[in-house]
């Protein structure tokens, strides 16, 4: 089994934090990692929202092609950026331990008032825009594309009063001091995979190496939870351009899995959610069943309306 591992990653500071986190784990296990920076379409096209540029694989496609050619051995992604269906010649090898899942409000204004009637919140997430329309209808949302540092620069320039971001990225970049509000995950339910780092590889990667990489990098409890969430997303046939949400958690003893998931219309008016409990072994089946229930209860109409609006 070879010990030199080429790690593919996007070039943003947050992506490099994730890649270095993986590299540190591999180094500690006696392997020799090398980081390879790859630019994706999502890094280049910044003048359009994700739903306008075709969000499927927008942050992963170029990395996946490098896996196929053998230019890299593994690709490191934010798990929430990974498309719902993985190409047949690739596989998700591991999910690393999840960070706190909440969305947070970040601002340079230490006394930010979320109730101010002229509040402008920056976000590039379709899900967050829809939820803000529902739960904070007085606020105006504005497009905020680019890496975290670019968004913070726009915030500092006064383009928004605050940004709505995932806690995980803010924390990993050590901007905790700018967090003004932590949005409750029971209301602002996160995107599938939010807070975890996903490791992807080619199916034909050396079997012994795949086994070793899984052992080093995978967090079993996180993997079980994301299996449920991703089964939900896959059945919804959604990606990050669809305002779906899913959060799976395990009981303290690990015996019970709870999945809270659903879909919201773009205007925030329709909000369909459901919670199911199961055993960890039933994680994927539960995700599928919950998605099917959401679709029957009105979710399919919401998706049809969204696709018709974007056609």
């Amino acid at each position: 089994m070879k010990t030199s591992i080429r790690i593919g990653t996007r070039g943003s500071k947050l992506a490099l934090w994730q890649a270095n986190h993986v590299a540190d784990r591999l180094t500690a296990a006696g392997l020799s990692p090398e980081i390879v920076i790859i630019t994706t379409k999502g890094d280049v096209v910044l003048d359009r929202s994700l739903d306008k540029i075709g969000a499927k694989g927008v942050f992963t496609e170029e990395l996946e092609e490098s896996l196929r050619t053998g230019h890299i051995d593994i690709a490191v992604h934010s798990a929430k950026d990974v498309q719902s269906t993985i190409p047949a010649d690739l596989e998700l090898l591991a999910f690393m331990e999840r960070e706190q899942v909440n969305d947070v409000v970040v601002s340079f204004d230490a006394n930010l008032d979320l109730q101010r009637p002229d509040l402008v919140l920056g976000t590039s997430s379709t899900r967050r825009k829809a939820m803000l329309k529902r739960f904070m209808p007085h606020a105006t949302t504005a497009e905020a594309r680019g890496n975290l540092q670019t968004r913070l620069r726009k915030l500092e320039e006064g383009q928004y009063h605050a940004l709505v971001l995932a806690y995980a990225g803010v924390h990993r970049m050590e901007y905790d001091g700018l967090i003004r509000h932590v949005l409750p995950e029971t209301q602002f339910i996160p995107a599938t995979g939010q807070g975890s780092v996903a490791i992807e590889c080619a199916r034909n990667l050396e079997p012994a190496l795949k086994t070793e990489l899984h052992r080093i990098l995978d967090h079993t409890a996180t993997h079980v939870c994301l299996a449920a969430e991703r089964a939900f997303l896959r059945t919804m046939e959604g990606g990050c351009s669809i305002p779906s949400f899913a959060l799976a958690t395990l009981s303290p003893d690990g015996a019970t899995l709870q999945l809270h998931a659903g879909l919201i219309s773009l205007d925030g008016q329709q909000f369909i959610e459901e919670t199911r409990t199961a055993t960890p072994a039933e994680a994927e089946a539960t995700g599928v069943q919950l998605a099917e229930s959401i679709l029957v209860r009105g979710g399919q109409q919401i998706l049809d309306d969204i696709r018709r609006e974007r056609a």
Side-chain angles (χ1 to χ4, degrees):
M1 185 185 77
K2 72 170 188 172
T3 58
S4 176
I5 310 298
R6 290 169 63 83
I7 303 170
T9 178
R10 296 164 61 201
S12 71
K13 288 185 178 180
L14 180 55
L16 289 171
W17 183 97
Q18 294 176 162
N20 279 294
H21 181 55
V22 171
D24 289 345
R25 293 284 293 274
L26 297 180
T27 299
L31 300 178
S32 301
E34 176 190 351
I35 292 176
V36 179
I37 296 174
I38 296 170
T39 302
T40 70
K41 181 165 60 176
D43 299 310
V44 174
V45 183
L46 298 175
D47 59 346
R48 282 173 281 164
S49 60
L50 292 175
D51 58 281
K52 297 293 194 300
I53 60 175
K56 184 176 180 180
V58 69
F59 292 119
T60 60
E61 188 175 356
E62 290 80 3
L63 287 158
E64 290 181 332
E65 188 55 36
S66 292
L67 288 172
R68 292 189 177 97
T69 63
H71 181 56
I72 57 175
D73 298 301
I74 58 175
V76 177
H77 311 291
S78 292
K80 66 182 177 64
D81 291 338
V82 179
Q83 63 267 38
S84 54
T85 301
I86 300 299
D89 58 340
L90 305 175
E91 65 180 286
L92 291 175
L93 179 66
F95 293 106
M96 302 186 76
E97 185 171 6
R98 196 174 214 168
E99 183 55 83
Q100 182 177 324
V101 300
N102 300 73
D103 287 334
V104 294
V105 179
V106 169
S107 178
F108 291 102
D109 180 0
N111 300 307
L112 178 71
D113 178 9
L114 286 184
Q115 300 308 314
R116 59 184 293 173
D118 61 342
L119 183 66
V120 178
L121 298 172
T123 177
S124 62
S125 162
T126 305
R127 173 189 60 87
R128 291 182 184 127
K129 290 174 186 174
M131 287 191 165
L132 289 166
K133 287 178 181 177
R134 182 174 185 84
F135 298 117
M136 299 175 63
H138 62 285
T140 299
T141 59
E143 189 66 29
R145 290 290 316 283
N147 61 44
L148 180 55
Q149 287 71 28
T150 297
R151 297 186 204 193
L152 287 172
R153 176 180 53 76
K154 293 178 180 179
L155 175 64
E156 196 165 22
E157 290 170 352
Q159 295 188 31
Y160 333 99
H161 294 112
L163 295 167
V164 183
L165 302 164
Y167 170 83
V170 175
H171 177 64
R172 288 165 179 163
M173 291 290 93
E174 301 181 357
Y175 291 120
D176 302 65
L178 296 178
I179 296 174
R180 304 307 176 203
H181 300 275
V182 177
L183 300 175
E185 76 278 9
T186 52
Q187 185 179 63
F188 285 82
I189 303 118
T192 293
Q194 185 160 305
S196 178
V197 175
I199 313 299
E200 189 177 17
C201 70
R203 282 199 181 274
N204 62 4
L205 187 67
E206 183 184 348
L209 179 57
K210 283 203 288 187
T211 298
E212 183 66 358
L213 291 172
H214 177 85
R215 182 190 68 80
I216 296 167
L217 299 174
D218 193 60
H219 185 254
T220 302
T222 299
H223 201 135
V224 169
C225 290
L226 265 65
E229 295 174 19
R230 288 186 54 77
F232 169 82
L233 184 66
R234 187 167 57 250
T235 307
M236 296 291 290
E237 296 186 353
C240 55
S241 66
I242 297 298
S244 65
F245 48 87
L247 177 61
T249 54
L250 285 177
S251 60
D253 62 3
T256 304
L257 177 137
Q258 178 176 282
L259 177 61
H260 183 189
L263 184 68
I264 183 171
S265 59
L266 294 179
D267 62 7
Q269 296 301 304
Q270 300 173 75
F271 187 78
I272 308 173
E273 60 180 329
E274 190 171 320
T275 300
R276 294 196 177 201
T277 57
T279 66
E282 299 167 325
E284 288 201 37
T286 301
V288 171
Q289 292 160 8
L290 200 158
E292 290 173 342
S293 176
I294 294 293
L295 290 170
V296 169
R297 290 174 51 208
Q300 187 61 59
Q301 185 61 54
I302 292 176
L303 292 179
D304 290 345
D305 289 345
I306 290 172
R307 287 164 184 151
R308 187 161 44 248
E309 182 177 327
R310 292 175 175 169

